[in-house]
Amino acid sequence: MKRAEQRMEDTWDLSDLYRDLETWEAAFAEVKVLAKNFKAYSGRLYEAPETLYEAIQAKERAERMLSNVITYARLKHDEDTKNATYQSLTSRVEALGSEYGEMTAFYAPELMAGDFVKIESFMDRYPPLAAYRFYFESLFRSKPHIRSEEIEHLLAQTEEMASGASNAYGMLLNADMTYEDAVDSEGNAHPITNGSYIPLMMNEDRELRKDAFTKYYANYEAHINTFAALLQTEVKKNIFYAKARGFKSAREAALFDNHIPVTVPDALIEAVHGKLDSFYDYMKLRKEVLGYDALHLYDIYNPIVESVDFKVTYEEAQKMTLGALKPLGEAYGEVVENAYQTRWIDVYENEGKRSGAYSWGTYDSRPYILLNHKDNLDSMFTLIHEMGHSMHSYLTHQTQPFVYGHYSIFLAEVASTTNEALLNDYLMKTIDNEGRKKYIVNHYLEQFRGTIFRQTMFAEFERDIHATVEAGGALTAEYLCSHYLELNRKYFGPDVVIDEAIQYEWARIPHFYYDFYVYQYATGFSAAIALSDRILNDGETAVNAYLDFLKSGASDSPIPILRRAGADMETEVPVQEALNRFAEVVKTFDKLVKNS
């Protein structure tokens, strides 16, 4: 389907940002003016507390408008990545962001050149500045990693160039890659796209799954050297910026802003290694229930509960997700219902549309959701997942000032996955059909597989490839493929045939361009298990604590924000509890399918 053929009600309404390209162009021009005017504060930040406050306000005005301009361009581009007009917009906003960075490069070094004692005296003398206390504390924490104005200016000039690998990867993946149709056991052709691949892997027709798997990864194999060059460039970029700012490693640099020690993702990896036996048990059970002599990697997505018709239309998904979110209160539900009715969401796939799903907006706009909805259970979980992100953003924006009107990536996956846990509980309580209940338990196990085990494998791969380059090695296609293949063998265990084609899978994972993001899916899922249990079992007190978490934004470090909500990620408890829960559910499912 072409973009123009989509029903308007199934597309997002971006008028919160700009009603048309003309108003966007005016804002684009104004950002340059605001950035230029901000340069007037250079050398004056410690002139007086009032001057510092004015400078911060001016910077915020420019950043808010820049965020709106960039977000509109990116959302329009993602509607149709083949559209030349929107390709041009994204190129222009990248240049604008670089230009803005150059014009404001003096700010952090000049502020850092002073003493925090002086800032404290300013806050005492001028109360409006006191609202920025945590902001100042966090900024001065970064002082050892802020460079001179000249170097900051130079680093700002590199930003547009630094996005080159990620942009090229996105165009190759979403706009240029095409696939031969997969053929099912009856000879019917099925188009393969990035959006249709996983639904094809969930199909009950094993011949279709095998053919789709083979043809999909054959295309990645044909481009694998290009993908390797892009990923190596991205990794070298991360290492360059880490060294430029005096960090010991790219990973330390990536985790610094969130106050997360590198021991957290390392502990996650070690904890999962310690529980791989329970994952092997699940793979063995899958093999037995399916009745296969050999379980292949194209057999790990399809439901292992036979003959269950579980089609979920988008309209049905809306109703069920609203029911699942009732424990969070009437006000929360009203906002979600309004989101469904007022076009926060771009629902269906069209030619050139970006694959996957996300929630993205600005402080001044609604938090938009991009979907590529299929009428299945997985898409309903994707909907409620992304709505968790959007509600986190919405409540943060409603509660916090602009300076704290975002949240760390460490917290980002908690809200989304808590929503998924609530949906799982709702479905188990409201569905009477035993076959569908088994299907839901299977889906729950698949959430663990995809969110804890799979994302931890990705985190280990990401850690290893950065360490390889930091030690002087090269990310050749041969190394990337062989190492990824070995990780699959480690994680899937003895009862899964590790098909050689899976060695190319790393090339289809866009999150490897997100700079150490993936481990947070696993930590977020673990925290969500703890928080959803509290919401369902402890009532109003737990709900209020959770809603306070959603409203906290960046007003504190993520670890204490999450601890107040009921999950202490500085301990091993949430991750171990989640892994223990998985082991219990595997045993329960084993009994369920064998006794039916």
Side-chain angles (χ1 to χ4, degrees):
M1 179 185 293
K2 295 185 182 299
R3 181 71 185 180
E5 297 171 347
Q6 293 275 19
R7 297 191 313 165
M8 183 180 69
E9 54 265 39
D10 294 329
T11 64
W12 48 29
D13 175 11
L14 302 184
S15 60
D16 273 11
L17 286 165
Y18 302 103
R19 66 178 180 269
D20 51 35
L21 283 177
E22 184 178 352
T23 53
W24 180 88
E25 290 285 1
F28 183 94
E30 189 173 352
V31 170
K32 292 188 175 185
V33 174
L34 292 174
K36 184 177 180 180
N37 291 343
F38 181 69
K39 291 188 70 175
Y41 291 98
S42 179
R44 299 178 55 210
L45 296 182
Y46 283 96
E47 184 179 275
E50 293 84 357
T51 304
L52 177 58
Y53 183 75
E54 288 175 8
I56 292 173
Q57 296 299 298
K59 190 169 185 290
E60 287 188 355
R61 284 194 296 273
E63 287 179 353
R64 285 175 73 165
M65 186 165 289
L66 177 64
S67 175
N68 291 336
V69 166
I70 290 174
T71 300
Y72 182 84
R74 292 300 308 183
L75 294 179
K76 295 300 291 184
H77 173 265
D78 288 352
E79 291 178 2
D80 184 356
T81 60
K82 296 181 180 181
N83 187 301
T85 298
Y86 301 147
Q87 290 176 11
S88 174
L89 293 190
T90 57
S91 296
R92 290 174 62 198
V93 295
E94 285 166 8
L96 178 64
S98 180
E99 185 178 348
Y100 174 83
E102 291 178 44
M103 290 184 181
T104 60
F106 73 88
Y107 175 78
E110 183 176 327
L111 205 57
M112 293 296 96
D115 195 298
F116 189 70
V117 174
K118 182 73 170 178
I119 295 293
E120 286 186 309
S121 70
F122 274 14
M123 288 189 286
D124 291 339
R125 290 164 52 192
Y126 193 65
L129 276 177
Y132 291 88
R133 176 171 292 279
F134 181 69
Y135 162 76
F136 287 130
E137 290 173 349
S138 298
L139 198 61
F140 273 83
R141 176 176 173 267
S142 303
K143 187 171 183 176
H145 306 290
I146 300 296
R147 298 307 178 227
S148 67
E149 182 177 346
E150 181 182 5
I151 293 177
E152 288 291 336
H153 183 77
L154 184 63
L155 289 173
Q157 289 180 302
T158 69
E159 289 181 1
E160 183 179 3
M161 176 180 63
S163 64
S166 177
N167 290 341
Y169 172 81
M171 293 303 294
L172 177 59
L173 187 70
N174 296 305
D176 295 341
M177 295 275 281
T178 57
Y179 307 88
E180 183 182 353
D181 287 352
V183 179
D184 64 26
S185 58
E186 297 181 354
N188 300 310
H190 299 257
I192 301 176
T193 67
N194 286 318
S196 71
Y197 174 68
I198 294 301
L200 287 172
M201 288 297 96
M202 297 172 69
N203 196 285
E204 292 185 359
D205 188 329
R206 197 181 192 198
E207 287 187 33
L208 174 61
R209 296 200 306 270
K210 181 179 180 180
D211 198 51
F213 180 87
T214 302
K215 289 174 177 175
Y216 187 70
Y217 285 117
N219 206 16
Y220 283 91
E221 181 183 8
H223 297 86
I224 202 63
N225 289 302
T226 300
F227 280 114
L230 291 172
L231 186 55
Q232 176 163 255
T233 301
E234 181 72 11
V235 169
K236 286 185 174 181
K237 178 202 77 175
N238 295 338
I239 294 170
F240 166 77
Y241 283 120
K243 287 182 176 179
R245 297 202 174 279
F247 290 99
K248 295 178 183 178
S249 68
R251 191 162 61 141
E252 182 188 54
L255 304 185
F256 178 81
D257 285 345
N258 289 329
H259 302 249
I260 308 298
V262 295
T263 54
V264 171
D266 282 340
L268 168 70
I269 292 168
E270 290 306 310
V272 170
H273 285 176
K275 292 289 185 179
L276 283 175
D277 284 350
S278 63
F279 188 62
Y280 298 164
D281 289 342
Y282 176 47
M283 290 297 103
K284 183 178 180 180
L285 176 60
R286 170 175 277 273
K287 177 182 175 181
E288 292 174 356
V289 173
L290 289 172
Y292 295 157
D293 292 332
L295 186 74
H296 287 260
L297 288 170
Y298 49 79
D299 298 321
I300 63 172
Y301 284 96
N302 58 303
I304 57 178
V305 178
E306 294 183 3
S307 302
V308 175
D309 179 16
F310 211 146
K311 180 179 178 180
V312 184
T313 67
Y314 181 63
E315 290 72 22
E316 290 169 337
Q318 289 179 319
K319 292 178 182 177
M320 283 191 271
T321 52
L322 285 169
L325 296 172
K326 281 187 177 179
L328 296 179
E330 185 177 343
Y332 186 103
E334 287 176 354
V335 178
V336 174
E337 188 168 10
N338 178 66
Y340 290 153
Q341 295 173 352
T342 58
R343 298 175 57 203
W344 288 23
I345 305 170
D346 205 81
V347 183
Y348 297 109
E349 184 179 12
N350 56 251
E351 290 182 20
K353 185 176 177 180
R354 184 191 188 276
S355 63
Y358 63 65
S359 169
W360 192 6
T362 73
Y363 188 80
D364 299 304
S365 77
R366 61 188 92 185
Y368 296 102
I369 295 174
L370 179 139
L371 299 176
N372 283 277
H373 184 84
K374 307 293 181 184
D375 287 346
N376 57 33
L377 185 70
D378 193 60
S379 285
M380 178 166 64
F381 272 92
T382 298
L383 170 62
I384 204 167
H385 177 103
E386 298 304 337
M387 186 55 70
H389 287 308
S390 286
M391 287 300 296
H392 195 178
S393 298
Y394 177 85
L395 291 172
T396 289
H397 297 164
Q398 292 290 309
T399 309
Q400 297 295 332
F402 177 76
V403 66
Y404 305 130
H406 58 283
Y407 43 82
S408 76
I409 58 174
F410 187 78
L411 299 179
E413 296 306 326
V414 176
S416 56
T417 315
T418 298
N419 272 15
E420 289 194 61
L422 294 175
L423 177 57
N424 186 80
D425 179 80
Y426 173 81
L427 294 174
M428 289 301 294
K429 289 176 178 176
T430 57
I431 291 176
D432 295 327
N433 183 285
E434 288 301 314
R436 287 192 169 191
K437 281 193 173 183
K438 285 185 284 187
Y439 190 95
I440 294 298
V441 176
N442 179 200
H443 188 275
Y444 191 39
L445 289 170
E446 283 299 289
Q447 286 181 292
F448 276 96
R449 181 189 65 78
T451 309
I452 290 190
F453 293 99
R454 181 172 170 81
Q455 299 300 330
T456 301
M457 185 181 75
F458 287 169
E460 186 169 354
F461 179 74
E462 189 173 26
R463 179 192 69 179
D464 293 350
I465 62 176
H466 280 80
T468 295
V469 176
E470 285 169 337
L475 300 185
T476 63
E478 181 181 3
Y479 165 76
L480 290 165
C481 291
S482 64
H483 188 55
Y484 193 81
L485 195 62
E486 286 305 311
L487 284 175
N488 273 271
R489 289 181 177 134
K490 177 197 292 186
Y491 275 75
F492 281 100
D495 286 287
V496 180
V497 177
I498 306 303
D499 304 274
E500 291 290 319
I502 202 64
Q503 67 184 300
Y504 308 114
E505 186 186 42
W506 60 265
R508 67 172 286 259
I509 308 302
H511 291 77
F512 292 144
Y513 294 80
Y514 292 6
D515 197 12
F516 294 97
Y517 187 103
V518 291
Y519 84 94
Q520 292 159 122
Y521 284 112
T523 55
F525 187 91
S526 301
I529 294 297
L531 296 181
S532 60
D533 281 351
R534 293 190 72 226
I535 289 166
L536 293 168
N537 297 323
D538 297 345
E540 185 176 357
T541 300
V543 171
N544 289 337
Y546 179 72
L547 294 177
D548 285 343
F549 153 69
L550 296 181
K551 296 173 183 177
S552 296
S555 60
D556 200 351
S557 302
I559 293 290
I561 286 177
L562 201 50
R563 185 185 297 120
R564 289 193 292 270
D568 189 350
M569 301 310 294
E570 283 192 312
T571 72
E572 297 180 354
V573 173
V575 175
Q576 289 294 347
E577 286 184 349
L579 292 168
N580 290 338
R581 172 80 65 84
F582 174 79
E584 292 171 3
V585 176
V586 170
K587 292 176 182 177
T588 299
F589 192 58
D590 190 358
K591 295 177 181 178
L592 188 62
V593 295
K594 291 180 179 178
N595 292 335
S596 60

